[in-house]
């Protein structure tokens, strides 16, 4: 946790963010605690991806500002922002015929120049990123030939090779099966533990509560609640934010709050009761 | 020393002073082979004609050791045409490479945003309605092409320009202009229609030193710009969001690349009429030869130059009657298109 609230490296100050004429969030103020694994949750179209795009400087607030390291993020040179904040976009495209190492190396772009394209530092950063994401053995393979889970790890490696303290993850687990989802969440936990500040948009509340250290719940473009998962994930809040009646019980393995939807009466089995 | 990254492809790593580059082997070798093939093709083109020469005569004429008729034939008659084929072919190859990279589509070239049809419309209007001089014709063609490209860009613009919408709008506008062009030709009398068709086929006939020098200078500047934009361009192949998060200002870079791509084709069109299909075919042939990830400019330029030179040679000397080079490139392009469709169909049963 940061010492004083205003000292957070990345924060949003009463910003209005949206697309062209459509405003998604007004007077939005959010902080990303340093060295946290922050997860933004909320129903579809609540503005969580919009917030992430604002934090990544992909969207410019029409009022207010996004502050990075004490200055308006729009006052930096684009490459400077790219050396401090990384992004794993929701959809990326691997060029035809690209190998894993080549794709990971593309993450080094903000550190390179016209004549400085492949330094020792670049090589070290790429090796480390591939090791951290366990894709070293795939290094020379074509990205087209990989499975969905492997491919997503390669994209994470590319973002890691960028070597930024802060990493933004836009729905990183969406297209993966459950095993690869868990594998990826655990990879993020590892990265968080070695000092990365992570900000993820996730759909799965249980993953958010289990792996996140700081939750931001959004609805209709505004922040409804934020704080530690234990405080944020309550039955009342889930009903308020998602309109879903549910029971919140401790996850039997991790102890984090777990959301169990109540659903309609007939979805319950005869023998099951709840307090 | 520390371990090295295995890229799956061998490369030459140069690190000296402020320079640190990684040059994959295969594209380097491919470029070298292409350069040799181009040199050989150029010598053949300089030898061939109604006054047949030996390779030795050509080489000594080029190095200034010949005088009289051999020098005149090589340097004054044949060299401008060969130089034009090389420079214009390279320009078309790079122009196509830029568009295919930006739109992430192997069928993209400046034609998709209406440039070719628009420039033909401009030229037709000058030939048929104004009965203008050659300079006016070039001006009309450039104006028509540029105006169409701008119109397509503006029509496709909604919260920034997206590749797919650009292609769809481009196809629509091109189809409209094509019918307009047909109508204009039907309305014209026979002589005018024939000179319009001759221009429209794209030919290196009558390309003189001054046109080569002016065109070549423009193209040199544009190729330099394309070279500088090469790395951001390849980064943008990863998607707009990824590129932006790597520190690229996507919108201005894309606009700049479109301008360079259109200007390259425009310069060639101004000097020789529209030479079709090289910009479509060259980048894809280059990519398959060099086996690079995505599109790279240097091999595309060299393949474009070789294709244009070889096509012009076929058009002049192998065809039963001398043809405009554009006729040969259309045949080549048609074959390539058929091949592409054939393999695509086989890949997705």
């Amino acid at each position: 946790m940061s010492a004083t609230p205003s000292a957070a490296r990345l924060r949003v100050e009463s910003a209005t963010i949206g697309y062209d004429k459509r405003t998604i969030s007004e007077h939005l103020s959010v902080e990303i605690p340093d060295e946290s694994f922050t997860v933004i949750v909320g129903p579809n179209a609540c503005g969580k991806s919009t917030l992430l795009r604002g934090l990544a400087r992909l969207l410019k607030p029409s009022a207010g500002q996004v502050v990075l390291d004490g200055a308006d993020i729009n006052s930096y040179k684009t490459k400077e922002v790219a050396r401090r904040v990384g992004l794993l976009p929701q959809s990326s495209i691997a060029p035809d015929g690209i190998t894993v190492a080549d794709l990971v190396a593309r993450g080094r772009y903000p550190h390179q120049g016209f004549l400085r394209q492949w330094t020792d530092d670049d090589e070290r950063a790429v090796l480390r990123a591939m090791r951290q994401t366990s894709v070293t053995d795939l290094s020379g393979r074509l990205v087209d030939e990989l499975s969905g889970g492997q491919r997503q790890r390669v994209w994470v490696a590319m973002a890691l090779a960028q070597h930024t303290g802060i990493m933004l993850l836009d729905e990183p687990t969406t297209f993966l099966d459950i095993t690869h989802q868990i594998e990826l969440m655990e990879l993020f936990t590892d990265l968080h533990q070695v000092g990365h500040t992570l900000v993820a948009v996730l759909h799965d509340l249980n993953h958010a509560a289990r792996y996140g250290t700081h939750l931001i719940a959004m609805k209709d473009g505004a922040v409804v609640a934020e704080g530690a998962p234990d405080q944020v994930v309550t039955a009342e809040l889930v009903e308020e934010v998602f309109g879903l009646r549910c029971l919140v019980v401790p996850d039997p393995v991790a102890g984090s709050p777990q959301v169990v939807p109540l659903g309609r009466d007939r979805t319950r089995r005869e023998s099951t009761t709840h307090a | 020393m520390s371990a090295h990254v295995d890229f799956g492809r061998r490369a030459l790593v140069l690190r000296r002073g402020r320079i640190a580059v990684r040059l994959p082997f295969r594209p380097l070798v491919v470029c070298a082979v292409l350069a040799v093939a181009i040199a050989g093709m150029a010598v053949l083109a300089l030898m061939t004609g109604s006054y047949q020469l030996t390779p030795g005569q050509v080489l000594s004429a080029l190095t200034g050791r010949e005088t009289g008729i051999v020098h005149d034939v090589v340097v004054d008659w044949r060299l401008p045409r060969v130089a034009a084929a090389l420079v214009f072919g390279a320009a078309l190859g790079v122009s196509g490479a830029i568009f295919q990279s930006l739109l992430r589509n192997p069928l993209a070239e400046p034609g998709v945003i209406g440039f070719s049809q628009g420039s033909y419309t401009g030229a037709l209007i000058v030939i048929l309605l104004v009965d203008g001089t050659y300079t006016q014709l070039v001006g009309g063609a450039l104006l028509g092409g540029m105006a169409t490209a701008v119109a397509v860009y503006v029509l496709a613009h909604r919260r920034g320009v997206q590749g797919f919408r650009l292609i769809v709008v481009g196809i629509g506008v091109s189809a409209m202009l094509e019918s307009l062009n047909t109508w204009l030709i039907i309305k014209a009398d026979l002589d005018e229609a024939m000179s319009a068709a001759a221009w429209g086929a794209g030919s290196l006939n009558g390309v003189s030193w001054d046109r080569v020098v002016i065109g070549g200078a423009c193209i040199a500047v544009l190729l330099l710009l394309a070279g500088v934009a090469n790395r951001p361009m390849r980064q943008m192949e990863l998607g707009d969001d990824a590129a932006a998060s790597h520190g690229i200002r996507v919108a201005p870079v894309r606009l700049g690349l479109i301008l360079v791509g259109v200007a390259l084709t425009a310069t060639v069109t101004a000097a020789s009429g529209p030479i079709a299909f090289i910009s479509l075919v060259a980048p894809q042939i280059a990519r398959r030869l060099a086996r690079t990830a995505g599109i790279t400019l240097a091999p595309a330029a060299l393949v474009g130059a070789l294709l244009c030179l070889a096509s012009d040679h076929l058009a002049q000397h192998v065809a039963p009657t001398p043809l405009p080079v554009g006729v040969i490139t259309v045949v080549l392009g048609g074959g390539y298109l058929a091949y592409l469709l054939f393999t695509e169909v086989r890949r997705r049963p």
Side-chain angles (χ1 to χ4, degrees):
Chain A
M1 283 289 139
S2 53
T4 55
S6 59
R9 288 190 62 194
L10 186 60
R11 61 183 194 270
V12 179
E13 287 181 350
S14 64
T16 302
I17 313 180
Y19 304 92
D20 278 349
K21 286 151 203 148
R22 209 157 54 89
T23 297
I24 307 287
S25 291
E26 263 184 306
H27 309 300
L28 186 68
S29 291
V30 175
E31 292 207 346
I32 307 303
D34 291 352
E35 292 174 19
S36 68
F37 183 173
T38 297
V39 181
I40 309 172
V41 295
N44 291 333
C46 69
K48 52 191 193 297
S49 279
T50 311
L51 169 58
L52 201 76
R53 294 177 73 79
L55 291 171
R57 209 176 88 157
L58 295 179
L59 287 174
K60 190 183 177 191
S62 55
Q65 60 179 358
V66 174
V67 176
L68 171 65
D69 293 327
D72 186 341
I73 198 169
N74 279 295
S75 67
Y76 290 92
K77 287 192 167 160
T78 41
K79 266 195 171 180
E80 187 55 43
V81 174
R83 286 193 284 263
R84 300 180 190 213
V85 181
L87 169 72
L88 181 67
Q90 208 176 104
S91 57
S92 302
I93 305 146
D96 272 345
I98 196 167
T99 63
V100 168
D102 197 355
L103 188 61
V104 175
R106 299 278 178 111
R108 295 298 297 166
Y109 184 84
H111 302 274
Q112 297 167 332
F114 190 69
L115 293 176
R116 294 173 56 80
Q117 301 180 5
W118 188 241
T119 61
D120 270 334
D121 282 350
D122 293 327
E123 188 137 19
R124 270 195 295 272
V126 169
L127 283 170
R128 187 179 53 225
M130 290 198 299
R131 199 170 52 237
Q132 282 177 301
T133 50
S134 322
V135 297
T136 309
D137 291 342
L138 305 174
S139 184
R141 294 266 301 274
L142 289 175
V143 175
D144 304 329
E145 296 170 350
L146 305 183
S147 73
Q150 290 173 325
R151 206 174 303 159
Q152 192 65 333
R153 286 214 310 273
V154 172
W155 285 108
V156 175
M158 184 184 83
L160 272 176
Q162 203 173 332
H163 200 64
T164 58
I166 303 172
M167 266 176 75
L168 310 176
L169 314 162
D170 197 356
E171 300 190 17
T173 54
T174 301
F175 299 109
L176 301 178
D177 62 40
I178 185 159
T179 317
H180 288 113
Q181 286 188 18
I182 299 297
E183 198 181 279
L184 202 60
M185 293 308 300
E186 285 177 346
L187 169 61
F188 293 144
T189 302
D190 294 344
L191 297 177
H192 168 237
Q193 275 165 2
V194 297
H196 284 88
T197 302
L198 300 178
V199 187
V201 167
L202 288 182
H203 270 299
D204 192 318
L205 266 179
N206 292 335
H207 286 177
R210 185 167 182 171
Y211 297 102
T213 61
H214 183 83
L215 258 52
I216 298 173
M218 290 184 73
K219 187 189 177 187
D220 298 332
V223 173
V224 181
E226 53 187 318
D230 291 341
Q231 289 148 21
V232 173
V233 182
T234 61
E236 298 76 48
L237 188 100
V238 173
E239 179 151 11
E240 186 195 341
V241 172
F242 290 91
L244 177 79
R245 295 201 310 123
C246 69
L247 204 63
V248 173
V249 294
D251 177 329
V253 176
S256 54
Q258 187 179 28
V259 174
V260 183
L262 287 179
R264 288 175 299 189
D265 286 343
R266 70 181 112 126
T267 60
R268 288 175 219 162
R269 288 193 201 157
E270 293 281 320
S271 57
T272 320
T273 52
H274 66 85
Chain B
M1 261 302 282
S2 63
H4 289 289
V5 175
D6 168 23
F7 279 87
R9 287 162 184 157
R10 293 199 302 145
L12 202 66
V13 175
L14 279 178
R15 284 179 185 144
R16 195 163 301 161
R18 301 170 58 83
I19 298 174
V21 289
R22 202 184 142 266
L23 302 166
F25 260 131
R26 191 174 168 109
L28 278 183
V29 171
V30 167
C31 283
V33 170
L34 283 169
V36 171
I38 286 170
M41 191 68 225
V43 170
L44 179 66
L46 292 171
M47 284 161 51
T48 320
S50 48
Y51 189 81
Q52 198 71 28
L53 298 171
T54 64
Q57 284 173 304
V58 167
L59 290 178
S60 52
L62 286 177
T63 47
R65 280 176 292 157
E66 289 278 352
T67 48
I69 184 81
V70 174
H71 174 271
D72 291 349
V73 167
V74 172
V75 177
D76 294 338
W77 299 0
R78 292 181 188 162
L79 193 55
R81 187 171 185 132
V82 168
L86 288 178
V87 176
F88 296 171
L92 291 171
V94 170
S95 173
I98 288 174
F99 272 80
Q100 292 180 5
S101 168
L102 278 180
L103 303 180
R104 299 181 199 107
N105 192 318
L107 291 176
E109 45 126 5
V112 297
I113 67 167
F115 183 85
S116 315
Q117 292 298 339
S119 62
Y120 197 23
T121 309
L124 280 173
I125 289 173
V126 171
I127 293 172
L128 305 180
L129 304 182
V130 193
D131 197 16
T133 62
Y134 185 80
T135 320
Q136 286 171 327
L137 178 121
V138 168
L142 289 185
L143 214 64
M146 291 293 189
T148 313
V150 170
V152 170
Y153 188 85
V154 170
L155 284 173
H157 195 98
R158 186 174 301 157
R159 234 193 263 154
V161 169
Q162 191 203 40
F164 189 66
R165 194 160 45 224
L166 202 64
I167 293 180
V168 173
V169 173
I171 288 173
V173 170
S174 289
M176 274 168 54
L177 287 175
E178 202 177 340
S179 45
L180 176 66
N181 292 346
T182 311
W183 181 76
L184 283 171
I185 288 187
I186 291 171
K187 283 285 156 193
D189 65 51
L190 189 63
D191 283 350
E192 287 176 337
M194 276 175 58
S195 70
W199 184 85
S203 168
L204 297 173
N205 279 339
V207 169
S208 55
W209 265 125
D210 53 338
R211 256 197 257 167
V212 174
V213 169
I214 296 170
C218 294
I219 287 168
V221 172
L222 291 166
L223 289 182
L224 209 66
L225 289 173
V228 171
N230 185 30
R231 297 189 67 242
M233 181 188 94
R234 300 193 64 201
Q235 209 72 13
M236 279 164 61
E237 289 176 7
L238 303 174
D240 290 1
D241 288 353
S245 74
H246 292 157
I248 289 163
R249 296 187 304 141
V250 173
V253 170
R254 177 184 292 131
L255 183 60
L257 280 167
I258 290 180
L259 288 177
V260 169
V262 169
L264 279 169
T265 298
T267 311
V268 176
T269 309
S272 66
I275 300 175
F277 278 114
I278 286 182
S279 50
L280 180 74
V281 186
Q284 291 298 319
I285 294 178
R287 197 175 72 78
R288 282 171 175 75
L289 288 178
R291 294 210 196 120
T292 51
I295 306 279
T296 35
L297 296 181
L302 292 172
V303 171
L306 183 60
L307 271 181
C308 195
L309 190 59
S311 298
D312 193 47
H313 190 75
L314 289 176
Q316 276 194 92
H317 305 301
V318 180
T321 167
L323 295 170
V325 60
V327 174
I328 299 291
T329 57
V330 163
V331 173
L332 280 179
Y336 168 72
L337 212 59
Y339 161 80
L340 199 68
L341 291 173
F342 182 66
T343 50
E344 283 290 302
V345 167
R346 260 204 318 200
R347 198 152 32 130
R348 292 179 209 149

